[in-house]
Amino acid sequence: MIRNARLWLACLVGAAALLGGCAKAPLASAPRAERAAIAERLTADIQTLASDGFAGRQPGTPGGQLTVDYLTRRFAQVGLTSGTNDPGNPWRAPVALTRYQADRGKVEFVVEGRQVELSPLEAIAVTTRKRELIADAEMVFVGYGSPAIATGDVMGKVVIMLSDDSLNPERRILLETKQASAVIVVPDVESALEGGFVFRVRQATSRERVSLTGEIDEAFAVVADRKAMARAFGIARWDALVEAAKADDFAPVAIDAIANIEARSNRRDFTSYNVIGRIAGSKPEGNPDTGAVLLMAHWDHLGMCRPEGVQDRICNGAIDNASGIALMLELTRRLAAAGPFENDIYVLATSAEESGLLGAQAFAANPPLPLENIIAAFNFDSVALAKSGAPVGFIGEGRTSLDPLVLQVMAEAERDLGNRELAQGFIERLDSWVLLQKGVPAVMLSSAFGSEITLGPFLEREYHSPQDEAAGIELGGAIDDLLLHEELVKRLAIPAQPSP
């Protein structure tokens, strides 16, 4: 395995800079007929992946499975072999995921023999587990949740905690560590009506989420409206508790009432897949100077993103990110035809990017090669926006040793650098960010992110909506970007020398 890929890359970049005056400069653009052929192939892949038949490419759905099947075939067609390095799972690296969504909850008190159930607008109980049930629990009022509260005062009890900023997660978590059965947070704001704080919490927690299986933040939270609590316990009694909580010497007060709280979530475990291909390098495995270049793009999108009854329910994701996958496939086809190369080229189509870069995280946790052997990673995301000749957004500039080579090849191709501030604003929203955090030189070069004039209208109108369809793609800048990456990868992968 490579002993020092970063040092090796630095030497390569330094040599390229010294020889730049003698090296053959890449074409700023390919001949018109060649560009037309590239556009035709890009369009075919985008139209297929963004068609209604793929139903928005959501992981864990038939459309998601259809996408993985399609990519497996296309990887083989463009000249790749399986890159999982796992004979038991060729092409497809499993990504174990859990989909969960808050379900119905109930908050009920029994006060002086009187049963009081708070309405959905007055209280919410949510959990990421399948079910939380607290029955006939004693209650204690802890004011604003001072850290000095003793464990014995709250252990096994339902705690009522005031919140003067409507959040206070640290104080709530501290009470949970002291073994409170549940903490009911009561914001110090009016919120009984629709649009209030409880309603906003319900809206925020009602959408479906996806996490890597085993990495869900197990959580249980209860929020109740201040007026509802006054109704449940009596206005005078509640006002007295709130007033007492303001005192510096306030001590927890036992409440002569019991609580019944139930929260549920719909949870489903399923397996999606990253699709991984490889163009094998000519250097034998185990050669200390062997490195690898990684190309990556996410295949997933949002699926059925609108409710039943809406005429167009599907978020097809033509630009985001059928276009990135299509560009990566075409680039791979050209590289495979141009080889052989000394270094490996890996090609990665990730799942569950839209859910939080989860496929990239799964790849980084269980890569088919040591991450330190990856000398460069290039990400492709939402590429079909800019016209030919548009400036390049360099996402990751200044964070890796790739800068000199990237800027040199851009200059040779007569490509201008785009808006730096705009580009850097997206760095943590891309799959490449996961690898960058692991020390992999990972960047994204895209004319789509070079100018607010290009990117802004897409973000305002089509982004994550049913309007992101194949009819709206613009391939001029994407083809420019493809040719730029082709030259970069060729220099990094190094054309193999003929045998003597």
Side-chain angles (χ1 to χ4, degrees), residues 141-144 162 239-251:
F141 178 81
V142 298
Y144 292 96
L162 300 175
D239 288 348
L241 288 170
V242 171
E243 187 63 29
K246 299 175 183 177
D248 292 338
D249 60 349
F250 173 79

Side-chain angles (χ1 to χ4, degrees), residues 212-245:
L212 292 169
T213 300
E215 296 189 11
I216 296 176
D217 182 17
E218 302 288 357
F220 174 44
V222 187
V223 179
D225 171 59
R226 184 178 59 174
K227 286 188 175 180
M229 298 298 282
R231 176 175 66 83
F233 296 102
I235 295 175
R237 185 183 184 189
W238 176 256
D239 288 348
L241 288 170
V242 171
E243 187 63 29

Side-chain angles (χ1 to χ4, degrees), residues 319-342:
I319 293 170
D320 182 15
N321 186 35
S323 68
I325 289 289
L327 187 151
M328 187 172 71
L329 287 169
E330 174 64 9
L331 174 59
T332 299
R333 186 193 68 79
R334 293 171 66 91
L335 290 169
F341 299 96
E342 292 189 2

Side-chain angles (χ1 to χ4, degrees), residues 320-395:
D320 182 15
N321 186 35
S323 68
I325 289 289
L327 187 151
M328 187 172 71
L329 287 169
E330 174 64 9
L331 174 59
T332 299
R333 186 193 68 79
R334 293 171 66 91
L335 290 169
F341 299 96
E342 292 189 2
N343 293 315
D344 290 339
I345 299 172
Y346 279 83
V347 182
L348 168 66
T350 60
S351 176
E353 186 269 356
E354 300 287 8
S355 298
L357 317 182
L358 302 183
Q361 291 179 39
F363 175 86
N366 188 27
L369 75 165
L371 292 180
E372 60 266 24
N373 283 23
I374 301 175
I375 58 175
F378 296 102
N379 193 24
F380 306 98
D381 197 338
S382 304
V383 301
L385 283 172
K387 295 183 181 297
S388 182
V392 179
F394 186 173
I395 301 176

